[in-house]
Amino acid sequence: MVELTGSATNLTIAGRTFGSRLIMGTGGAPSLDVLEAALQASGTELTTVALRRVDPSARGTVLEVLDRLGIAVLPNTAGCFTSAEAVLTAQLGREALGTDWVKLEVIADEVTLLPDPIETLDAAERLVADGFTVLPYTNDDPVLARRLEDAGCAAVMPLGAPIGSGLGIRNPHAIEMIVEQAGVPVVLDAGIGTASEAALAMELGCDAVLLASAVTRCHDPVAMAQAMRHAVSAGYLAAHAGRIPVRRYAEASSTMVGRID
Amino acid sequence: MHITLNGQPHELPDGSTVADLVADLPHRGVAVAVDGAVVPRSRHDQPLTEGAAVEVVTAVQGG
């Protein structure tokens, strides 16, 4: 198997380059051992963690896994419903992990887990002012994506579908519009269920894909992690290969000249 | 001294500090907020006050 390198795999956000266009989440894995094997198979170099109250009985930590694999950590603000909660959680993440990068996530309710656009934009403005490199999870709304970029976010991360739903990309047209207007990297975040959907995200022009459940909650996380790794690279290559136009009728690939009577 | 630690009532000797609370925890991956504001490690020697609401968090699987 040929290993892909160069632009098919190199992702640059805010001046930092990662050797994979697949950003992984760590949520949902049945054990740290399974998580470690899946992360390694995915080839990811940037991976999210959440911040929660210390459990003194916990054994082994996700940080030990990421350190062993040499994967950069991206703290998130998962579970926050307000800008104020998200800002404090981001600041705790910076203190705990020594990074000013944050995946900003402010959800509106526990049923849809959809981003609250008002709180998300407010938190983004506050965190940028506080020196954070902000990667916001956002709706598939081109206007909101533009507002987040204007607020100084280092990337925009529109959802394909609700978190953990595996519904894929419900509004490809909106994702294309976000990509066309964006001056920062676009990361398709949430909703991916299988490899073809990750490839589609890249074919739509996204710079990267962020996913967790599709890998961590499937039957064979290592196999799916490999599938996602290849899908993201394949989608990127296809997007930049100048595909053939779509036609309503057939176009023969063999010449009609010289055929026998 | 009574404080609230991660949402639960907690008793501490008077004069206890943030450093006392986190003494048994690893340095990396742990952060503390008191009354809604992060207390950086450089200020963990500050004494806690009666009724303080303390959050001690760490990185877990997520996102």
mmCIF file of all heavy atoms in Angstrom, chain A residues 25-29 32 35 48-54 62-63 67 76 88 91-92 95-97 103 210 212, chain B residues 6-7 25 27-33 36-42 44 55-63:
data_model
loop_
_atom_site.group_PDB
_atom_site.id
_atom_site.type_symbol
_atom_site.label_atom_id
_atom_site.label_comp_id
_atom_site.label_asym_id
_atom_site.label_seq_id
_atom_site.Cartn_x
_atom_site.Cartn_y
_atom_site.Cartn_z
ATOM 1 N N GLY A 25 -11.915 12.430 17.712
ATOM 2 C CA GLY A 25 -12.369 12.631 19.082
ATOM 3 C C GLY A 25 -12.100 11.359 19.849
ATOM 4 O O GLY A 25 -11.888 10.294 19.256
ATOM 5 N N THR A 26 -12.108 11.451 21.170
ATOM 6 C CA THR A 26 -11.814 10.269 21.985
ATOM 7 C C THR A 26 -13.048 9.731 22.692
ATOM 8 O O THR A 26 -12.955 8.755 23.430
ATOM 9 C CB THR A 26 -10.742 10.597 23.046
ATOM 10 O OG1 THR A 26 -11.175 11.739 23.797
ATOM 11 C CG2 THR A 26 -9.406 10.902 22.388
ATOM 12 N N GLY A 27 -14.211 10.370 22.482
ATOM 13 C CA GLY A 27 -15.415 9.952 23.186
ATOM 14 C C GLY A 27 -15.986 8.659 22.628
ATOM 15 O O GLY A 27 -15.911 8.398 21.430
ATOM 16 N N GLY A 28 -16.562 7.868 23.507
ATOM 17 C CA GLY A 28 -17.348 6.719 23.069
ATOM 18 C C GLY A 28 -16.607 5.402 22.976
ATOM 19 O O GLY A 28 -17.229 4.361 22.788
ATOM 20 N N ALA A 29 -15.280 5.404 23.132
ATOM 21 C CA ALA A 29 -14.545 4.143 23.005
ATOM 22 C C ALA A 29 -14.818 3.256 24.217
ATOM 23 O O ALA A 29 -14.902 3.745 25.340
ATOM 24 C CB ALA A 29 -13.045 4.405 22.877
ATOM 25 N N LEU A 32 -9.694 2.238 26.993
ATOM 26 C CA LEU A 32 -8.522 3.008 26.544
ATOM 27 C C LEU A 32 -7.663 2.200 25.589
ATOM 28 O O LEU A 32 -7.022 2.758 24.701
ATOM 29 C CB LEU A 32 -7.701 3.462 27.756
ATOM 30 C CG LEU A 32 -8.315 4.603 28.584
ATOM 31 C CD1 LEU A 32 -7.479 4.865 29.825
ATOM 32 C CD2 LEU A 32 -8.447 5.881 27.761
ATOM 33 N N LEU A 35 -9.295 2.492 22.242
ATOM 34 C CA LEU A 35 -9.068 3.862 21.775
ATOM 35 C C LEU A 35 -7.656 4.019 21.222
ATOM 36 O O LEU A 35 -7.458 4.591 20.146
ATOM 37 C CB LEU A 35 -9.300 4.846 22.926
ATOM 38 C CG LEU A 35 -9.022 6.310 22.586
ATOM 39 C CD1 LEU A 35 -10.016 6.820 21.565
ATOM 40 C CD2 LEU A 35 -9.053 7.168 23.850
ATOM 41 N N THR A 48 -9.331 15.404 20.214
ATOM 42 C CA THR A 48 -10.025 16.158 21.252
ATOM 43 C C THR A 48 -10.160 15.363 22.552
ATOM 44 O O THR A 48 -10.240 14.133 22.543
ATOM 45 C CB THR A 48 -11.440 16.571 20.818
ATOM 46 O OG1 THR A 48 -12.251 15.410 20.648
ATOM 47 C CG2 THR A 48 -11.415 17.378 19.533
ATOM 48 N N VAL A 49 -10.200 16.107 23.648
ATOM 49 C CA VAL A 49 -10.566 15.553 24.952
ATOM 50 C C VAL A 49 -11.572 16.499 25.594
ATOM 51 O O VAL A 49 -11.663 17.667 25.221
ATOM 52 C CB VAL A 49 -9.353 15.396 25.901
ATOM 53 C CG1 VAL A 49 -8.342 14.407 25.347
ATOM 54 C CG2 VAL A 49 -8.689 16.747 26.167
ATOM 55 N N ALA A 50 -12.326 15.992 26.544
ATOM 56 C CA ALA A 50 -13.260 16.814 27.312
ATOM 57 C C ALA A 50 -12.669 17.070 28.697
ATOM 58 O O ALA A 50 -11.699 16.422 29.100
ATOM 59 C CB ALA A 50 -14.605 16.103 27.431
ATOM 60 N N LEU A 51 -13.244 18.022 29.404
ATOM 61 C CA LEU A 51 -12.810 18.312 30.780
ATOM 62 C C LEU A 51 -13.965 18.021 31.720
ATOM 63 O O LEU A 51 -15.078 18.514 31.524
ATOM 64 C CB LEU A 51 -12.380 19.769 30.898
ATOM 65 C CG LEU A 51 -11.062 20.036 30.174
ATOM 66 C CD1 LEU A 51 -10.973 21.455 29.711
ATOM 67 C CD2 LEU A 51 -9.882 19.677 31.061
ATOM 68 N N ARG A 52 -13.681 17.208 32.731
ATOM 69 C CA ARG A 52 -14.707 16.840 33.704
ATOM 70 C C ARG A 52 -14.106 16.820 35.095
ATOM 71 O O ARG A 52 -12.895 16.755 35.264
ATOM 72 C CB ARG A 52 -15.278 15.448 33.368
ATOM 73 C CG ARG A 52 -16.117 15.400 32.097
ATOM 74 C CD ARG A 52 -17.416 16.164 32.220
ATOM 75 N NE ARG A 52 -18.217 16.135 30.990
ATOM 76 C CZ ARG A 52 -18.143 17.035 30.009
ATOM 77 N NH1 ARG A 52 -17.277 18.032 30.095
ATOM 78 N NH2 ARG A 52 -18.903 16.940 28.941
ATOM 79 N N ARG A 53 -14.995 16.867 36.094
ATOM 80 C CA ARG A 53 -14.542 16.790 37.478
ATOM 81 C C ARG A 53 -13.680 15.550 37.687
ATOM 82 O O ARG A 53 -13.984 14.477 37.153
ATOM 83 C CB ARG A 53 -15.753 16.749 38.406
ATOM 84 C CG ARG A 53 -16.459 18.099 38.488
ATOM 85 C CD ARG A 53 -17.774 18.015 39.188
ATOM 86 N NE ARG A 53 -18.306 19.345 39.495
ATOM 87 C CZ ARG A 53 -19.535 19.587 39.929
ATOM 88 N NH1 ARG A 53 -20.384 18.581 40.112
ATOM 89 N NH2 ARG A 53 -19.923 20.814 40.184
ATOM 90 N N VAL A 54 -12.628 15.710 38.468
ATOM 91 C CA VAL A 54 -11.701 14.615 38.746
ATOM 92 C C VAL A 54 -12.430 13.470 39.430
ATOM 93 O O VAL A 54 -13.195 13.680 40.371
ATOM 94 C CB VAL A 54 -10.545 15.113 39.642
ATOM 95 C CG1 VAL A 54 -9.785 13.947 40.248
ATOM 96 C CG2 VAL A 54 -9.604 16.010 38.849
ATOM 97 N N VAL A 62 -6.699 9.287 29.368
ATOM 98 C CA VAL A 62 -6.627 9.493 27.933
ATOM 99 C C VAL A 62 -5.361 10.263 27.572
ATOM 100 O O VAL A 62 -4.796 10.078 26.491
ATOM 101 C CB VAL A 62 -7.913 10.201 27.445
ATOM 102 C CG1 VAL A 62 -8.017 11.619 27.989
ATOM 103 C CG2 VAL A 62 -8.005 10.205 25.931
ATOM 104 N N LEU A 63 -4.874 11.096 28.482
ATOM 105 C CA LEU A 63 -3.648 11.856 28.193
ATOM 106 C C LEU A 63 -2.448 10.938 28.045
ATOM 107 O O LEU A 63 -1.570 11.175 27.222
ATOM 108 C CB LEU A 63 -3.379 12.880 29.299
ATOM 109 C CG LEU A 63 -4.312 14.081 29.347
ATOM 110 C CD1 LEU A 63 -3.875 15.025 30.467
ATOM 111 C CD2 LEU A 63 -4.351 14.808 28.012
ATOM 112 N N ASP A 67 -0.093 10.894 24.835
ATOM 113 C CA ASP A 67 1.352 11.112 24.988
ATOM 114 C C ASP A 67 2.136 9.968 24.360
ATOM 115 O O ASP A 67 3.132 10.187 23.673
ATOM 116 C CB ASP A 67 1.721 11.249 26.474
ATOM 117 C CG ASP A 67 1.278 12.592 27.046
ATOM 118 O OD1 ASP A 67 0.912 13.478 26.263
ATOM 119 O OD2 ASP A 67 1.302 12.743 28.292
ATOM 120 N N ASN A 76 -11.834 20.379 24.463
ATOM 121 C CA ASN A 76 -13.101 20.920 23.972
ATOM 122 C C ASN A 76 -13.920 21.486 25.128
ATOM 123 O O ASN A 76 -13.519 21.409 26.291
ATOM 124 C CB ASN A 76 -13.885 19.870 23.173
ATOM 125 C CG ASN A 76 -14.429 18.745 24.029
ATOM 126 O OD1 ASN A 76 -14.604 18.889 25.239
ATOM 127 N ND2 ASN A 76 -14.717 17.606 23.415
ATOM 128 N N LEU A 88 -15.107 29.503 30.724
ATOM 129 C CA LEU A 88 -14.420 28.953 31.909
ATOM 130 C C LEU A 88 -13.826 27.577 31.595
ATOM 131 O O LEU A 88 -12.689 27.278 31.986
ATOM 132 C CB LEU A 88 -15.390 28.862 33.099
ATOM 133 C CG LEU A 88 -14.801 28.238 34.371
ATOM 134 C CD1 LEU A 88 -13.568 29.007 34.858
ATOM 135 C CD2 LEU A 88 -15.853 28.167 35.487
ATOM 136 N N GLN A 91 -10.726 27.972 29.608
ATOM 137 C CA GLN A 91 -9.623 28.452 30.450
ATOM 138 C C GLN A 91 -9.075 27.333 31.332
ATOM 139 O O GLN A 91 -7.871 27.237 31.558
ATOM 140 C CB GLN A 91 -10.096 29.639 31.296
ATOM 141 C CG GLN A 91 -10.357 30.885 30.448
ATOM 142 C CD GLN A 91 -11.102 31.979 31.198
ATOM 143 O OE1 GLN A 91 -11.783 31.708 32.189
ATOM 144 N NE2 GLN A 91 -10.982 33.208 30.711
ATOM 145 N N LEU A 92 -9.967 26.453 31.814
ATOM 146 C CA LEU A 92 -9.511 25.284 32.585
ATOM 147 C C LEU A 92 -8.691 24.353 31.691
ATOM 148 O O LEU A 92 -7.673 23.796 32.124
ATOM 149 C CB LEU A 92 -10.717 24.547 33.176
ATOM 150 C CG LEU A 92 -11.371 25.213 34.387
ATOM 151 C CD1 LEU A 92 -12.744 24.612 34.664
ATOM 152 C CD2 LEU A 92 -10.481 25.081 35.624
ATOM 153 N N GLU A 95 -5.243 25.774 31.243
ATOM 154 C CA GLU A 95 -4.441 25.586 32.457
ATOM 155 C C GLU A 95 -4.018 24.118 32.624
ATOM 156 O O GLU A 95 -2.875 23.822 32.960
ATOM 157 C CB GLU A 95 -5.253 26.048 33.681
ATOM 158 C CG GLU A 95 -4.659 25.702 35.027
ATOM 159 C CD GLU A 95 -3.378 26.461 35.361
ATOM 160 O OE1 GLU A 95 -3.060 27.438 34.650
ATOM 161 O OE2 GLU A 95 -2.695 26.053 36.316
ATOM 162 N N ALA A 96 -4.946 23.210 32.340
ATOM 163 C CA ALA A 96 -4.668 21.787 32.568
ATOM 164 C C ALA A 96 -3.697 21.221 31.539
ATOM 165 O O ALA A 96 -2.889 20.353 31.859
ATOM 166 C CB ALA A 96 -5.972 20.983 32.538
ATOM 167 N N LEU A 97 -3.807 21.703 30.294
ATOM 168 C CA LEU A 97 -3.106 21.030 29.200
ATOM 169 C C LEU A 97 -2.041 21.886 28.540
ATOM 170 O O LEU A 97 -1.346 21.420 27.629
ATOM 171 C CB LEU A 97 -4.134 20.549 28.164
ATOM 172 C CG LEU A 97 -5.159 19.579 28.753
ATOM 173 C CD1 LEU A 97 -6.337 19.380 27.826
ATOM 174 C CD2 LEU A 97 -4.494 18.248 29.052
ATOM 175 N N LYS A 103 -11.417 23.503 21.032
ATOM 176 C CA LYS A 103 -12.594 23.226 20.215
ATOM 177 C C LYS A 103 -13.783 23.774 20.995
ATOM 178 O O LYS A 103 -14.169 23.219 22.037
ATOM 179 C CB LYS A 103 -12.784 21.724 19.961
ATOM 180 C CG LYS A 103 -14.107 21.463 19.237
ATOM 181 C CD LYS A 103 -14.438 20.000 19.047
ATOM 182 C CE LYS A 103 -15.912 19.865 18.661
ATOM 183 N NZ LYS A 103 -16.323 18.479 18.419
ATOM 184 N N LEU A 210 -13.515 15.900 11.365
ATOM 185 C CA LEU A 210 -13.400 15.551 12.783
ATOM 186 C C LEU A 210 -14.509 14.566 13.111
ATOM 187 O O LEU A 210 -15.689 14.844 12.857
ATOM 188 C CB LEU A 210 -13.527 16.808 13.661
ATOM 189 C CG LEU A 210 -13.040 16.725 15.120
ATOM 190 C CD1 LEU A 210 -12.947 18.125 15.723
ATOM 191 C CD2 LEU A 210 -13.850 15.824 16.004
ATOM 192 N N ALA A 212 -15.660 11.027 15.873
ATOM 193 C CA ALA A 212 -15.354 10.148 17.007
ATOM 194 C C ALA A 212 -16.243 8.916 16.964
ATOM 195 O O ALA A 212 -15.775 7.801 16.721
ATOM 196 C CB ALA A 212 -15.535 10.887 18.333
ATOM 197 N N ASN B 6 -16.252 20.169 43.855
ATOM 198 C CA ASN B 6 -16.899 19.452 42.746
ATOM 199 C C ASN B 6 -18.356 19.128 43.062
ATOM 200 O O ASN B 6 -18.833 18.011 42.873
ATOM 201 C CB ASN B 6 -16.124 18.183 42.395
ATOM 202 C CG ASN B 6 -14.853 18.508 41.614
ATOM 203 O OD1 ASN B 6 -14.659 19.649 41.181
ATOM 204 N ND2 ASN B 6 -14.006 17.521 41.420
ATOM 205 N N GLY B 7 -19.039 20.133 43.594
ATOM 206 C CA GLY B 7 -20.475 20.017 43.816
ATOM 207 C C GLY B 7 -20.872 19.374 45.126
ATOM 208 O O GLY B 7 -22.064 19.308 45.438
ATOM 209 N N LEU B 25 -2.947 14.682 43.260
ATOM 210 C CA LEU B 25 -3.293 14.539 41.842
ATOM 211 C C LEU B 25 -2.077 14.849 40.967
ATOM 212 O O LEU B 25 -1.193 15.606 41.373
ATOM 213 C CB LEU B 25 -4.431 15.509 41.487
ATOM 214 C CG LEU B 25 -5.751 15.254 42.226
ATOM 215 C CD1 LEU B 25 -6.740 16.371 41.935
ATOM 216 C CD2 LEU B 25 -6.331 13.903 41.818
ATOM 217 N N HIS B 27 0.174 16.644 38.172
ATOM 218 C CA HIS B 27 0.206 18.046 37.745
ATOM 219 C C HIS B 27 -0.418 18.208 36.367
ATOM 220 O O HIS B 27 -1.267 19.047 36.148
ATOM 221 C CB HIS B 27 1.656 18.565 37.705
ATOM 222 C CG HIS B 27 2.152 18.971 39.063
ATOM 223 N ND1 HIS B 27 3.125 19.901 39.241
ATOM 224 C CD2 HIS B 27 1.794 18.556 40.306
ATOM 225 C CE1 HIS B 27 3.364 20.056 40.539
ATOM 226 N NE2 HIS B 27 2.564 19.239 41.196
ATOM 227 N N ARG B 28 0.039 17.351 35.435
ATOM 228 C CA ARG B 28 -0.432 17.509 34.058
ATOM 229 C C ARG B 28 -1.880 17.069 33.952
ATOM 230 O O ARG B 28 -2.275 16.022 34.489
ATOM 231 C CB ARG B 28 0.434 16.676 33.121
ATOM 232 C CG ARG B 28 -0.058 16.679 31.693
ATOM 233 C CD ARG B 28 1.053 16.318 30.720
ATOM 234 N NE ARG B 28 0.566 15.668 29.514
ATOM 235 C CZ ARG B 28 -0.082 16.307 28.550
ATOM 236 N NH1 ARG B 28 -0.339 17.595 28.653
ATOM 237 N NH2 ARG B 28 -0.487 15.649 27.473
ATOM 238 N N GLY B 29 -2.662 17.875 33.277
ATOM 239 C CA GLY B 29 -4.030 17.488 32.986
ATOM 240 C C GLY B 29 -5.027 17.868 34.050
ATOM 241 O O GLY B 29 -6.194 17.505 33.943
ATOM 242 N N VAL B 30 -4.599 18.591 35.066
ATOM 243 C CA VAL B 30 -5.518 18.980 36.142
ATOM 244 C C VAL B 30 -5.565 20.505 36.233
ATOM 245 O O VAL B 30 -4.537 21.167 36.131
ATOM 246 C CB VAL B 30 -5.069 18.383 37.495
ATOM 247 C CG1 VAL B 30 -5.913 18.928 38.640
ATOM 248 C CG2 VAL B 30 -5.165 16.862 37.447
ATOM 249 N N ALA B 31 -6.766 21.051 36.411
ATOM 250 C CA ALA B 31 -6.911 22.494 36.588
ATOM 251 C C ALA B 31 -7.964 22.760 37.660
ATOM 252 O O ALA B 31 -8.859 21.944 37.891
ATOM 253 C CB ALA B 31 -7.305 23.171 35.281
ATOM 254 N N VAL B 32 -7.837 23.910 38.291
ATOM 255 C CA VAL B 32 -8.700 24.269 39.419
ATOM 256 C C VAL B 32 -9.352 25.624 39.163
ATOM 257 O O VAL B 32 -8.691 26.565 38.702
ATOM 258 C CB VAL B 32 -7.875 24.349 40.729
ATOM 259 C CG1 VAL B 32 -8.782 24.730 41.906
ATOM 260 C CG2 VAL B 32 -7.161 23.036 40.999
ATOM 261 N N ALA B 33 -10.642 25.708 39.463
ATOM 262 C CA ALA B 33 -11.334 27.000 39.466
ATOM 263 C C ALA B 33 -11.931 27.208 40.858
ATOM 264 O O ALA B 33 -12.443 26.272 41.466
ATOM 265 C CB ALA B 33 -12.435 27.034 38.416
ATOM 266 N N GLY B 36 -15.648 30.255 40.192
ATOM 267 C CA GLY B 36 -15.839 30.591 38.783
ATOM 268 C C GLY B 36 -14.641 31.176 38.081
ATOM 269 O O GLY B 36 -14.755 31.617 36.936
ATOM 270 N N ALA B 37 -13.472 31.177 38.704
ATOM 271 C CA ALA B 37 -12.272 31.699 38.051
ATOM 272 C C ALA B 37 -11.135 30.693 38.182
ATOM 273 O O ALA B 37 -10.927 30.104 39.254
ATOM 274 C CB ALA B 37 -11.867 33.037 38.670
ATOM 275 N N VAL B 38 -10.391 30.500 37.101
ATOM 276 C CA VAL B 38 -9.262 29.570 37.116
ATOM 277 C C VAL B 38 -8.192 30.091 38.069
ATOM 278 O O VAL B 38 -7.887 31.281 38.087
ATOM 279 C CB VAL B 38 -8.673 29.417 35.694
ATOM 280 C CG1 VAL B 38 -7.409 28.555 35.723
ATOM 281 C CG2 VAL B 38 -9.704 28.795 34.757
ATOM 282 N N VAL B 39 -7.650 29.165 38.872
ATOM 283 C CA VAL B 39 -6.510 29.506 39.726
ATOM 284 C C VAL B 39 -5.275 28.838 39.129
ATOM 285 O O VAL B 39 -5.136 27.615 39.196
ATOM 286 C CB VAL B 39 -6.714 29.020 41.183
ATOM 287 C CG1 VAL B 39 -5.509 29.384 42.039
ATOM 288 C CG2 VAL B 39 -7.994 29.602 41.756
ATOM 289 N N PRO B 40 -4.381 29.619 38.498
ATOM 290 C CA PRO B 40 -3.198 29.010 37.898
ATOM 291 C C PRO B 40 -2.309 28.363 38.943
ATOM 292 O O PRO B 40 -2.346 28.747 40.128
ATOM 293 C CB PRO B 40 -2.484 30.184 37.212
ATOM 294 C CG PRO B 40 -3.183 31.416 37.608
ATOM 295 C CD PRO B 40 -4.445 31.062 38.326
ATOM 296 N N ARG B 41 -1.529 27.382 38.494
ATOM 297 C CA ARG B 41 -0.692 26.613 39.435
ATOM 298 C C ARG B 41 0.223 27.531 40.248
ATOM 299 O O ARG B 41 0.501 27.261 41.412
ATOM 300 C CB ARG B 41 0.121 25.574 38.656
ATOM 301 C CG ARG B 41 0.812 24.562 39.520
ATOM 302 C CD ARG B 41 1.182 23.306 38.755
ATOM 303 N NE ARG B 41 0.025 22.506 38.409
ATOM 304 C CZ ARG B 41 -0.541 21.615 39.227
ATOM 305 N NH1 ARG B 41 -0.081 21.433 40.430
ATOM 306 N NH2 ARG B 41 -1.589 20.912 38.837
ATOM 307 N N SER B 42 0.638 28.633 39.632
ATOM 308 C CA SER B 42 1.533 29.560 40.343
ATOM 309 C C SER B 42 0.856 30.210 41.552
ATOM 310 O O SER B 42 1.520 30.781 42.417
ATOM 311 C CB SER B 42 2.015 30.648 39.385
ATOM 312 O OG SER B 42 0.902 31.363 38.860
ATOM 313 N N HIS B 44 -1.472 28.427 43.508
ATOM 314 C CA HIS B 44 -2.121 27.357 44.290
ATOM 315 C C HIS B 44 -1.849 27.473 45.785
ATOM 316 O O HIS B 44 -2.480 26.781 46.584
ATOM 317 C CB HIS B 44 -1.679 25.977 43.790
ATOM 318 C CG HIS B 44 -2.460 25.505 42.602
ATOM 319 N ND1 HIS B 44 -2.514 24.204 42.206
ATOM 320 C CD2 HIS B 44 -3.241 26.187 41.731
ATOM 321 C CE1 HIS B 44 -3.280 24.086 41.124
ATOM 322 N NE2 HIS B 44 -3.719 25.282 40.818
ATOM 323 N N GLU B 55 -13.816 23.816 41.850
ATOM 324 C CA GLU B 55 -13.929 22.781 40.826
ATOM 325 C C GLU B 55 -12.523 22.293 40.494
ATOM 326 O O GLU B 55 -11.629 23.102 40.228
ATOM 327 C CB GLU B 55 -14.581 23.337 39.548
ATOM 328 C CG GLU B 55 -16.011 23.821 39.724
ATOM 329 C CD GLU B 55 -17.032 22.692 39.810
ATOM 330 O OE1 GLU B 55 -16.659 21.525 39.530
ATOM 331 O OE2 GLU B 55 -18.190 22.964 40.167
ATOM 332 N N VAL B 56 -12.341 20.969 40.528
ATOM 333 C CA VAL B 56 -11.074 20.370 40.121
ATOM 334 C C VAL B 56 -11.376 19.450 38.948
ATOM 335 O O VAL B 56 -12.139 18.486 39.088
ATOM 336 C CB VAL B 56 -10.420 19.576 41.275
ATOM 337 C CG1 VAL B 56 -9.070 19.020 40.833
ATOM 338 C CG2 VAL B 56 -10.252 20.461 42.501
ATOM 339 N N VAL B 57 -10.819 19.771 37.786
ATOM 340 C CA VAL B 57 -11.176 19.026 36.574
ATOM 341 C C VAL B 57 -9.932 18.426 35.937
ATOM 342 O O VAL B 57 -8.802 18.859 36.200
ATOM 343 C CB VAL B 57 -11.905 19.918 35.540
ATOM 344 C CG1 VAL B 57 -13.160 20.530 36.139
ATOM 345 C CG2 VAL B 57 -10.978 20.990 34.997
ATOM 346 N N THR B 58 -10.195 17.451 35.091
ATOM 347 C CA THR B 58 -9.108 16.831 34.332
ATOM 348 C C THR B 58 -9.620 16.426 32.958
ATOM 349 O O THR B 58 -10.816 16.465 32.692
ATOM 350 C CB THR B 58 -8.534 15.616 35.077
ATOM 351 O OG1 THR B 58 -7.306 15.210 34.450
ATOM 352 C CG2 THR B 58 -9.503 14.446 35.074
ATOM 353 N N ALA B 59 -8.680 16.048 32.095
ATOM 354 C CA ALA B 59 -9.045 15.636 30.737
ATOM 355 C C ALA B 59 -9.582 14.214 30.763
ATOM 356 O O ALA B 59 -9.002 13.328 31.394
ATOM 357 C CB ALA B 59 -7.830 15.727 29.827
ATOM 358 N N VAL B 60 -10.702 14.008 30.072
ATOM 359 C CA VAL B 60 -11.283 12.674 29.933
ATOM 360 C C VAL B 60 -11.625 12.454 28.462
ATOM 361 O O VAL B 60 -11.571 13.388 27.659
ATOM 362 C CB VAL B 60 -12.564 12.513 30.788
ATOM 363 C CG1 VAL B 60 -12.259 12.728 32.264
ATOM 364 C CG2 VAL B 60 -13.646 13.470 30.330
ATOM 365 N N GLN B 61 -11.992 11.219 28.138
ATOM 366 C CA GLN B 61 -12.410 10.929 26.760
ATOM 367 C C GLN B 61 -13.605 11.798 26.390
ATOM 368 O O GLN B 61 -14.552 11.922 27.169
ATOM 369 C CB GLN B 61 -12.826 9.465 26.637
ATOM 370 C CG GLN B 61 -11.673 8.490 26.601
ATOM 371 C CD GLN B 61 -12.180 7.055 26.568
ATOM 372 O OE1 GLN B 61 -12.039 6.324 27.524
ATOM 373 N NE2 GLN B 61 -12.774 6.678 25.460
ATOM 374 N N GLY B 62 -13.577 12.358 25.195
ATOM 375 C CA GLY B 62 -14.722 13.146 24.768
ATOM 376 C C GLY B 62 -14.481 13.864 23.463
ATOM 377 O O GLY B 62 -13.346 14.025 23.026
ATOM 378 N N GLY B 63 -15.604 14.286 22.865
ATOM 379 C CA GLY B 63 -15.539 15.127 21.662
ATOM 380 C C GLY B 63 -15.252 14.370 20.386
ATOM 381 O O GLY B 63 -14.821 13.246 20.397
#
